[in-house]
C-alpha cells in the first residue's frame, strides 16, 4: 500500500512540476511538429503520399520517446539540484531515529 | 591591444570550458559526436523509405546542420549560464571592450561547431558507405567552417535573447527545429512551398549545404563561390545584429536591473 502511495503521489507531483516547465512543454510541442513536417514533405516529394499516415504515427511515437527520455533524466537531475534527495534522506533518517527510539535500539551495538 | 587580445582569447576559452562545468569531458562524446550520427542515420533511412534522395544528400545536409547544436546552445548558455551563476554582472560592470569580450566567446564555439560537423560528415560517410572524392575534402572543410561561422552569428542573437528570457534551451530547440525544416538539409528546397524556400535564403546553412552537395558531386571551389559568399554574408548580418542586440539588452538590463533576475 505504501509503495502504491509513493508511486501515485510521486507521479502526480512530477506531472505538476513538468506541466509548469516551459522547457518540457516547449520541447514536447516543438519536436513532434518538426518531425511530422519533415516527414510530410519528404514523403510527399518522394511520391509516396500513402505512407503519410505511417510518417505521422512515427512522429507522434518519436514525440513520446523524446518526452519520456528528456523528462525522466530531467526529473532526477532537477531534484538533485533542488536538494530534494537530501530532504528525502533526512526524512528517512528521522524515521530510523523514531524506530530506534521506539525499540530502544539506539545504544545497542 | 594586448588587453583586448587577452580578453578575446583567455576569456573566450575560459567561458567555453565553463560550459561543460568540466566535471567530466566525456559528456562531450554522446552529445556532440554520437547524436549527429543517429540524426544522419534517421533521415537517411527515412529518405530511403520515401524514395526521395540519396544517402549522400542526407549525410551532407544533416552533418552540416548539426553544427547548429554547439553553435546555438553554447552561445545561449554562454550568456545564460554566466547570468545564472552571477559571473556575468561582474564582467559587464568592468570596462572591458565588448567586441573582444563577446566575439572571443564566439570563436571556440565556432571551431567546435566546425569540428562536430566535420566529424559527423566523415563518420557518417563511413557508416553509410558514401564516397566523398579526396579532392573535395579540403573544400568541404572550408564549407563546414563557413557554415559554423554563419550559425555562430545566429547564436549571438540567441545569446542576446538569453539576457531577457530564462528558458534559452527552449528557444535553441525551436531554432534548431526550424533550421532542420527550412535549410534544405532533408527536403530539397524546390519541394517546399515558395515562401519557405524564400525564407531559407536568409538562414544559416542553406547556402553552405547546397555548396557542400555540389562539391561532393565534383564541383570546384570556384564553382560554389557565390553560395559561399552568400553564406558569409548571412553570417555577418546575424553576427552584427547579435552584437547590437547584446549591447542593447546589456544597457536595458542595467537600466531596469534585470541582469540577475533569473
Amino acid at each position: 500500500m505504501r509503495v502504491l502511495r509513493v508511486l501515485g503521489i510521486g507521479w502526480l507531483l512530477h506531472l505538476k512540476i513538468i506541466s509548469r516547465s516551459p522547457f518540457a512543454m516547449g520541447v514536447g510541442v516543438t519536436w513532434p511538429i518538426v518531425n511530422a513536417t519533415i516527414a510530410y514533405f519528404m514523403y510527399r516529394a518522394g511520391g509516396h503520399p500513402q505512407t503519410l499516415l505511417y510518417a505521422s504515427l512515427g512522429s507522434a511515437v518519436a514525440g513520446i520517446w523524446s518526452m519520456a527520455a528528456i523528462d525522466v533524466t530531467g526529473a532526477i537531475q532537477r531534484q538533485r539540484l533542488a536538494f530534494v534527495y537530501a530532504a528525502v534522506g533526512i526524512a528517512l533518517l528521522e524515521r530510523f531515529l523514531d524506530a530506534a527510539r521506539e525499540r530502544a535500539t539506539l545504544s545497542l551495538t | 591591444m594586448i588587453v583586448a587580445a587577452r580578453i578575446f582569447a583567455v576569456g573566450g576559452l575560459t567561458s567555453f570550458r565553463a560550459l561543460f562545468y568540466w566535471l567530466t569531458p566525456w559528456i562531450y562524446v554522446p552529445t556532440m559526436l554520437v547524436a549527429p550520427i543517429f540524426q544522419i542515420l534517421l533521415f537517411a533511412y527515412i529518405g530511403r523509405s520515401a524514395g526521395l534522395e540519396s544517402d549522400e544528400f542526407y549525410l551532407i545536409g544533416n552533418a552540416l546542420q548539426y553544427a547548429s547544436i554547439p553553435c546555438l546552445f553554447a552561445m545561449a548558455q554562454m550568456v545564460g549560464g554566466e547570468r545564472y551563476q552571477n559571473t556575468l554582472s561582474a564582467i559587464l560592470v568592468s570596462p572591458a571592450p565588448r567586441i573582444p569580450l563577446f566575439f572571443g566567446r564566439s570563436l571556440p564555439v565556432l571551431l567546435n561547431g566546425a569540428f562536430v560537423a566535420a566529424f559527423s560528415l566523415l563518420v557518417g560517410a563511413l557508416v553509410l558507405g558514401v564516397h566523398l572524392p579526396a579532392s573535395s575534402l579540403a573544400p568541404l572543410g572550408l564549407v563546414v567552417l563557413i557554415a559554423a561561422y554563419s550559425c555562430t552569428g545566429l547564436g549571438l542573437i540567441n545569446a542576446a535573447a538569453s539576457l531577457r528570457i530564462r528558458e534559452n534551451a527552449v528557444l535553441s530547440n525551436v531554432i534548431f527545429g526550424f533550421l532542420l525544416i527550412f535549410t534544405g538539409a532533408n527536403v530539397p528546397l524546390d519541394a517546399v512551398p515558395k515562401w519557405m524556400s524564400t525564407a531559407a535564403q536568409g538562414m544559416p546553412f542553406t547556402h553552405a549545404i547546397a555548396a557542400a552537395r555540389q562539391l561532393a558531386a565534383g564541383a570546384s571551389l570556384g564553382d560554389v563561390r557565390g553560395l559561399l559568399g552568400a553564406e558569409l554574408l548571412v553570417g555577418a548580418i546575424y553576427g552584427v545584429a547579435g552584437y547590437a542586440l547584446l549591447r542593447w539588452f546589456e544597457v536595458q538590463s542595467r537600466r531596469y536591473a534585470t541582469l540577475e533576475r533569473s
Side-chain angles (χ1 to χ4, degrees):
Chain A
M1 192 63 198
R2 186 178 290 159
V3 173
L4 285 176
R5 193 165 172 270
V6 169
L7 273 174
I9 293 176
W11 179 82
L12 192 65
L13 191 67
H14 280 291
L15 188 69
K16 282 183 178 177
I17 293 170
I18 288 168
S19 66
R20 281 159 180 76
S21 160
F23 178 77
M25 289 297 111
V27 171
V29 169
T30 304
W31 279 105
I33 293 174
V34 168
N35 289 333
T37 307
I38 294 171
Y40 170 74
F41 283 125
M42 284 175 76
Y43 281 100
R44 196 184 65 166
H48 293 77
Q50 70 278 15
T51 44
L52 274 173
L53 175 65
Y54 296 106
S56 56
L57 268 175
S59 305
V61 172
I64 295 171
W65 292 339
S66 56
M67 280 298 279
I70 292 170
D71 288 336
V72 165
T73 50
I76 292 173
Q77 191 184 23
R78 190 168 41 244
Q79 296 206 339
R80 192 176 157 212
L81 288 175
F83 300 108
V84 172
Y85 290 124
V88 172
I90 289 168
L92 283 174
L93 189 65
E94 296 252 332
R95 283 196 50 165
F96 284 133
L97 282 173
D98 286 344
R101 280 191 203 107
E102 279 172 18
R103 295 171 194 170
T105 55
L106 207 58
S107 307
L108 290 179
T109 54
Chain B
M1 187 64 195
I2 293 173
V3 172
R6 272 180 60 83
I7 291 170
F8 183 87
V10 180
L13 193 62
T14 308
S15 177
F16 185 73
R17 287 185 62 178
L19 279 176
F20 294 89
Y21 288 73
W22 231 236
L23 287 174
T24 165
W26 291 107
I27 196 69
Y28 189 93
V29 176
T31 52
M32 298 291 179
L33 303 181
V34 177
I37 306 302
F38 281 102
Q39 182 179 315
I40 291 167
L41 290 177
L42 172 70
F43 285 108
Y45 283 116
I46 294 176
R48 285 181 190 179
S49 152
L52 182 57
E53 293 285 350
S54 65
D55 286 355
E56 185 182 284
F57 180 90
Y58 299 105
L59 167 71
I60 291 174
N62 288 289
L64 261 71
Q65 194 273 343
Y66 202 85
S68 59
I69 288 285
C71 293
L72 290 173
F73 279 82
M75 289 305 294
Q77 200 57 32
M78 177 196 82
V79 170
E82 290 207 38
R83 189 180 162 206
Y84 180 73
Q85 294 180 351
N86 294 325
T87 51
L88 191 65
S89 49
I91 291 169
L92 293 185
V93 82
S94 73
R98 296 303 189 248
I99 287 180
L101 185 77
F102 290 127
F103 284 96
R105 281 158 165 72
S106 309
L107 185 64
V109 173
L110 188 162
L111 295 175
N112 183 44
F115 170 73
V116 168
F119 178 86
S120 313
L121 192 62
L122 292 177
V123 175
L126 287 173
V127 172
L128 287 171
V130 172
H131 173 69
L132 296 171
S135 60
S136 72
L137 293 180
L140 278 174
L142 179 68
V143 172
V144 160
L145 203 60
I146 291 173
Y149 153 81
S150 175
C151 191
T152 305
L154 180 61
L156 269 175
I157 294 181
N158 201 22
S162 299
L163 280 176
R164 273 300 173 90
I165 62 171
R166 293 172 188 168
E167 296 283 344
N168 56 35
V170 177
L171 183 62
S172 303
N173 258 300
V174 172
I175 297 174
F176 178 75
F178 266 94
L179 292 175
L180 204 55
I181 297 170
F182 277 78
T183 56
N186 295 301
V187 187
L189 289 178
D190 53 10
V192 296
K194 181 84 178 134
W195 68 268
M196 285 177 77
S197 57
T198 305
Q201 303 308 313
M203 292 187 188
F205 296 120
T206 304
H207 305 285
I209 288 172
R213 283 181 182 141
Q214 288 187 25
L215 286 169
S220 70
L221 203 54
D223 296 333
V224 296
R225 65 180 184 278
L227 288 168
L228 296 184
E231 188 75 21
L232 283 167
L233 181 65
V234 167
I237 290 170
Y238 279 120
V240 170
Y243 177 71
L245 265 179
L246 272 168
R247 292 306 313 266
W248 168 249
F249 284 146
E250 182 193 338
V251 171
Q252 292 286 304
S253 61
R254 280 171 196 261
R255 186 169 294 156
Y256 297 109
T258 54
L259 198 61
E260 288 168 350
R261 196 185 292 168
S262 60

